Amino acid sequence: MKTYRWGIIIAVAVAVILLIVYGFLPRAVPVDTAKASRSSMSVTVDEEGKTRIKEKYVISAPVSGFMRRIRFEAGDAVKKGQVVVELEPLRSSVLDPRSRAEAEAAVLAADAALKAAEENSQRAAAEAGYAKANLVRIKKLFEQGYVSKDEMEHAETEAKRTEAGRLSAEAGVKVARFELDKARSVLQYSADEGGVKSGRAVALRSPVDGRILKLYRESEGVVNSGEALIDIGDPDKLEVRVEVLSADAVKIKPGTPVLFKRWGGEPVLSGIVRIIEPAGFTKISSLGVEEQRVVVIADFASANEGKKSLGDGYRVEASFVIWEGKDVLQIPASALFRKGEAWAVFIVKNKRANQRQVEIGHRNGLVAEILSGLSEGEEVITHPDDSIREGTHVSDQEVDHAPL
């Protein structure tokens, strides 16, 4: 019986010791792993852009005037040479009581001046008639020798002088009549008199075949010289304007392929870079950081049917493909870490983490190209932390990654 008790005590003691030893044994660190694989890969510069019509025409008022109501709506088709806007002369202002009294007095004064000019014209006509008849009588007496040559010449001069006076008086009547019309027009064309609208209008025509893109104003009213009225363009002729960082712009060349994503449709639209503008500009980011940016203009590929759904000023996400390879050995970029001046990874071999130096090529933020140091199929730890060291016992869980 005593021996049996000691056996139980010894067994319990051994079990406790084993549990203590097991508790101090190093446990496997759980890690995520991925296999080095070969697939296609591309390096892109991604930025947001906006579509715009290649040739947009802004129709503006050439002179100040009164615009008639525009009968078009945004989206309406127009033909080259079609009248889209009509401008009338500016309407007269409303006369205040003092201005009206002055205008009415000016009409009375002009009417009196006309009557005086008419009386003066009648007097001049009478004098001219008398001088003309007197000249005829003097000529007969001169031919008969009853008057001297001097009297004859004096009669001729008097006839010419009075005739000129008559013509001047008639011209004075015309001037006075015009002055009366001028004075009356101030009242006649006053806005509070329902002034007569002129039938003359300046017609503004469409310079091209296209569609109305934007109406700056639709209702009739006064417009100033140079004021924009209508935008016209062809929505089928679109391009994309993208502002990229200057450090990325130097990698983009005319002819660089570009993919347009997240534009609202399912298919990814393709395009090609046409222009990289030579001058950059400073832009403040949403975080308040000054950035040097450059405008890049890209055209849609002619095969894109989805672009018909886009219009002027639509948002797209542009991915400029600056490099791509077909059969590239690659791993997730998160598996890389710095070891001095070189790059290194942890591979999993026999449930142990082994550090290995690698040489990388292109990176796109998600995956990295491996030039040397790894073979296809080897497993790497994707997010190594401080708990992972050379020889660390790990338990791995393979994670798929999608190369770009």
Side-chain angles (χ1 to χ4, degrees):
M1 193 68 173
K2 193 173 184 179
T3 303
Y4 177 74
R5 290 178 179 177
W6 277 107
I8 294 176
I9 293 173
I10 292 172
V12 172
V14 170
V16 170
I17 293 172
L18 290 176
L19 289 174
I20 294 174
V21 172
Y22 178 77
F24 282 99
L25 288 177
R27 297 182 180 180
V29 178
V31 294
D32 294 331
T33 64
K35 288 185 178 181
S37 60
R38 290 187 176 274
S39 180
S40 60
M41 176 183 172
S42 61
V43 179
T44 62
V45 173
D46 299 328
E47 292 286 352
E48 288 187 5
K50 287 184 179 181
T51 61
R52 71 178 186 185
I53 292 177
K54 288 185 178 180
E55 295 181 353
K56 184 186 296 184
Y57 296 86
V58 179
I59 296 181
S60 57
V63 294
S64 297
F66 189 88
M67 185 186 76
R68 295 177 181 172
R69 182 177 178 83
I70 297 177
R71 300 302 178 183
F72 294 96
E73 299 289 344
D76 289 349
V78 293
K79 297 292 184 180
K80 182 177 181 180
Q82 183 177 351
V83 176
V84 292
V85 181
E86 290 183 314
L87 296 180
E88 296 178 359
L90 289 172
R91 307 290 172 82
S92 301
S93 60
V94 178
L95 295 178
D96 58 84
R98 177 179 176 180
S99 298
R100 174 168 291 281
E102 291 177 350
E104 291 173 348
V107 170
L108 296 176
D111 184 58
L114 175 60
K115 292 179 179 179
E118 290 174 345
E119 294 296 331
N120 185 48
S121 176
Q122 292 178 5
R123 178 185 59 81
E127 291 179 352
Y130 171 76
K132 186 176 182 181
N134 185 54
L135 176 60
V136 172
R137 185 173 60 255
I138 294 296
K139 278 185 177 181
K140 291 181 179 179
L141 294 175
F142 176 74
E143 291 173 355
Q144 296 174 1
Y146 292 109
V147 295
S148 65
K149 185 177 181 180
D150 182 65
E151 291 180 358
M152 174 64 181
E153 291 176 350
H154 178 73
E156 290 178 346
T157 302
E158 185 65 16
K160 291 179 180 179
R161 184 186 66 79
T162 55
E163 179 64 19
R166 183 187 67 80
L167 295 176
S168 177
E170 289 180 354
V173 171
K174 294 180 180 179
V175 171
R177 187 174 290 112
F178 294 147
E179 289 293 335
L180 177 59
D181 292 340
K182 177 182 176 181
R184 285 174 176 171
S185 66
V186 176
L187 294 173
Q188 180 182 0
Y189 292 98
S190 173
D192 57 351
E193 293 290 337
V196 180
K197 296 182 180 180
S198 173
R200 299 179 180 179
V202 178
L204 306 184
R205 304 177 183 273
S206 173
V208 292
D209 293 341
R211 292 185 178 275
I212 302 294
L213 302 178
K214 181 179 180 181
L215 296 175
Y216 290 91
R217 58 184 302 171
E218 183 178 2
S219 299
E220 66 178 14
V222 177
V223 295
N224 297 320
S225 176
E227 182 177 345
L229 304 177
I230 294 180
D231 287 351
I232 294 178
D234 188 352
D236 293 332
K237 297 179 180 179
L238 286 177
E239 63 185 10
V240 179
R241 180 183 185 273
V242 187
E243 298 176 0
V244 303
L245 293 172
S246 59
D248 293 330
V250 298
K251 305 173 187 176
I252 302 173
K253 307 295 180 184
T256 298
V258 56
L259 302 176
F260 301 112
K261 308 173 183 178
R262 297 180 179 88
W263 54 274
E266 289 299 329
V268 175
L269 306 180
S270 60
I272 190 169
V273 174
R274 187 174 85 248
I275 297 174
I276 298 96
E277 293 189 357
F281 59 93
T282 302
K283 185 176 182 179
I284 306 299
S285 70
S286 57
L287 299 177
V289 180
E290 284 191 0
E291 298 174 340
Q292 285 301 117
R293 291 191 171 263
V294 178
V295 173
V296 178
I297 307 299
D299 291 330
F300 285 99
S302 58
N304 290 326
E305 291 295 330
K307 71 176 184 179
K308 294 181 179 179
S309 302
L310 296 173
D312 185 51
Y314 283 42
R315 175 194 172 276
V316 298
E317 186 174 302
S319 296
F320 299 92
V321 183
I322 59 177
W323 178 87
E324 59 183 343
K326 297 298 183 182
D327 187 24
V328 180
L329 181 63
Q330 54 194 281
I331 62 171
S334 60
L336 295 168
F337 61 91
R338 279 288 187 179
K339 186 66 175 180
E341 296 296 326
W343 290 98
V345 296
F346 281 112
I347 66 169
V348 177
K349 189 174 183 181
N350 299 325
K351 301 295 183 179
R352 300 284 178 177
N354 296 311
Q355 182 176 304
R356 185 180 296 178
Q357 184 174 320
V358 295
E359 182 183 358
I360 66 172
H362 297 90
R363 291 186 296 169
N364 63 10
L366 296 179
V367 295
E369 179 188 15
I370 300 298
L371 301 179
S372 63
L374 282 179
S375 300
E376 184 178 0
E378 289 188 300
E379 286 186 287
V380 296
I381 299 175
T382 55
H383 298 89
D385 54 24
D386 294 339
S387 64
I388 307 299
R389 300 182 182 278
E390 179 69 23
T392 300
H393 185 214
V394 297
S395 60
D396 60 299
Q397 180 180 359
E398 185 176 340
V399 178
D400 293 336
H401 66 281
L404 295 181

